[in-house]
């Protein structure tokens, strides 16, 4: 049987209260007594079950999710999943809050991280902006004992504990492979619509996509990136101008949001012949698939990412290992034929629009 605190007390010749004070690093124990207890712990091979101890104490973990504000449908879906997780928080010993910052705004993100640390949270999950000041803020959080995970977009060079999101280079390569297969030997350049190159997930998707385009059929030209800031109207204007300037355009890879503008621009130009690969199942991409404007959508499960972040932050706060296989976020591929219909309030699939 595993040794218990009772075994430690008996071997060290002290009370259970003294053992508890030593285990929790509290004062009031003489150095010689503390040494005797620590010796007993080592000889018995006692390993403390931190999670059980925290459960017994009724410890609650305050967690903060920092999410970009704005019209990005995926981020609003992510926020909805955070709110759903908050409804389960009492059962998971967590207290979950969401904080909003302007998208792609490194100073605002830094301010939100520092504010959460000052409030004494146990963990932070944030959609990262790739900037030195953000990495420094993450370092300050970790130095203060606050667990930190990046969500959707990573900052691998920082001190963050874990990344909850897909392999974005692989996602970009997958998009490139689909584009190459759909276009075959058809000539024409390919355009890329991004939100901002300030976030790592967009840069990594572009890296993977461009690598495959360079390999496909001896190489296919990829035009300069259109940065739509994930704003539909801006995306519509950029895509419309690109279609007008490049009538031979064969494909568009939308690696961010703003897809309502993309779909509107293609419809306005009557360019149903353009091969379009996009990310995330949202209302605009769903409509694009259903009407044949978008050929395929790569999707990541926002609910899985939020649940994973909660599990990881709680495990880090307890000093427990993370189960890597459980936290791996997969890349799903949807075309019109396998598109799942959204659920209504009763959990029933809604009928597809005619």
């Amino acid at each position: 049987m595993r040794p218990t605190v009772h075994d430690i007390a008996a071997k060290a010749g002290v009370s259970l209260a003294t053992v508890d004070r030593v285990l929790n690093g509290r004062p009031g124990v003489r150095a010689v007594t503390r040494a005797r207890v620590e010796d007993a712990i080592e000889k018995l091979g006692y390993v403390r079950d931190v999670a059980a101890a925290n459960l017994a104490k009724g410890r609650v973990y305050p967690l903060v999710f920092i999410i970009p504000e704005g019209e990005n449908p995926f981020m609003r879906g992510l926020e909805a999943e955070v709110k759903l997780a908050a409804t389960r928080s009492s059962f998971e010993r967590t207290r979950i809050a969401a904080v909003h910052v302007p998208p792609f705004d490194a100073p605002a993100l830094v301010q939100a991280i520092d504010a959460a640390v000052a409030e004494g949270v146990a963990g932070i999950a944030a959609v990262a902006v790739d900037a030195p000041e953000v990495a420094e803020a993450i370092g300050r959080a970790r130095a203060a004992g606050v667990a930190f995970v990046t969500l959707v977009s990573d900052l691998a060079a920082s001190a963050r504990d874990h990344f909850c999101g897909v392999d974005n280079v692989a996602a970009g390569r997958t998009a490139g492979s689909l584009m190459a297969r759909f276009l075959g030997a058809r000539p024409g350049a390919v355009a890329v619509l991004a939100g901002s190159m300030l976030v790592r997930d967009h840069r990594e998707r572009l890296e993977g996509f461009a690598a495959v385009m360079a390999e496909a059929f001896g190489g296919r030209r990829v035009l300069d990136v259109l940065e739509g800031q994930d704003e539909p109207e801006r995306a519509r204007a950029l895509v419309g101008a690109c279609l007008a300037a490049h009538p031979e355009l064969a494909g568009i890879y939308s690696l961010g949001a703003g897809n309502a503008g993309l779909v509107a621009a293609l419809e306005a130009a009557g360019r149903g012949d353009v091969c379009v690969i996009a990310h995330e199942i949202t209302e605009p991409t769903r409509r694009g698939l259903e009407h044949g404007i978008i050929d395929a959508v790569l999707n990541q499960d926002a609910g899985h990412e939020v649940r994973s972040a909660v599990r990881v932050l709680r495990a880090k706060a307890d000093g427990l290992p993370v189960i890597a296989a459980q936290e791996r976020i997969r890349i799903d591929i949807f075309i019109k034929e396998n598109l799942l219909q959204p659920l209504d309030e009763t959990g029933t699939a809604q009928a597809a629009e005619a």
Side-chain angles (χ1 to χ4, degrees), residues 128-330:
V129 176
D130 194 355
E133 58 266 39
V134 176
E136 291 168 4
I138 294 173
R140 289 193 294 273
R142 293 296 297 114
V146 177
F148 201 107
V149 301
T150 49
L151 195 62
V152 182
S153 186
D154 196 14
L155 194 50
S158 70
R160 58 92 169 126
D161 290 289
H162 187 80
F163 170 53
C164 297
V166 298
D167 180 335
N168 282 295
V169 174
R173 290 192 65 88
T174 302
S177 179
L178 290 172
M179 183 72 74
R181 291 168 186 267
F182 290 162
L183 290 180
R186 173 185 168 181
V190 171
V192 175
L193 174 64
S196 170
M197 291 294 99
L198 292 176
V199 287
R200 184 176 292 270
D201 60 330
H202 288 197
R203 292 207 309 273
E204 289 181 341
R205 290 174 186 178
L206 176 60
E207 174 190 336
F209 180 79
V212 175
M213 287 294 95
E215 301 163 358
F217 296 97
R220 184 179 292 274
R221 182 186 174 201
V222 177
L223 302 177
D224 292 341
V225 177
L226 308 172
E227 292 191 62
Q229 303 299 314
D230 287 345
E231 297 172 3
E233 285 306 313
R234 185 181 178 91
R236 177 174 183 168
L238 288 171
V239 172
C242 181
L243 291 170
H246 302 278
E248 83 293 349
L249 193 73
I252 299 176
Y253 174 37
S254 175
L255 52 79
N259 288 306
L262 166 66
V263 170
L266 288 165
E267 287 179 326
R271 291 297 304 273
D273 61 311
V274 177
C275 176
V276 179
I277 312 293
H279 278 265
E280 319 311 349
I281 293 294
T282 62
E283 190 281 327
T285 58
R286 178 181 294 278
R287 187 169 70 86
L289 280 173
E290 290 172 343
H291 291 268
I293 299 167
I294 296 177
D295 294 271
V297 174
L298 308 184
N299 189 66
Q300 56 188 317
D301 188 331
H304 187 181
E305 289 172 338
V306 170
R307 293 189 298 273
S308 176
V310 172
R311 283 193 298 267
V312 171
L313 289 173
R314 205 173 59 223
K316 291 297 180 180
D318 273 336
L320 299 176
V322 173
I323 303 172
Q326 185 180 22
E327 311 310 341
R328 186 175 297 114
I329 311 297
R330 68 174 183 261

Side-chain angles (χ1 to χ4, degrees), residues 21 35 37 49 67 76 135 143 163 170 258 272 303 313 322 342:
R21 281 196 291 271
V37 172
D49 189 339
I67 304 171
R76 302 288 64 80
F163 170 53
L313 289 173
V322 173

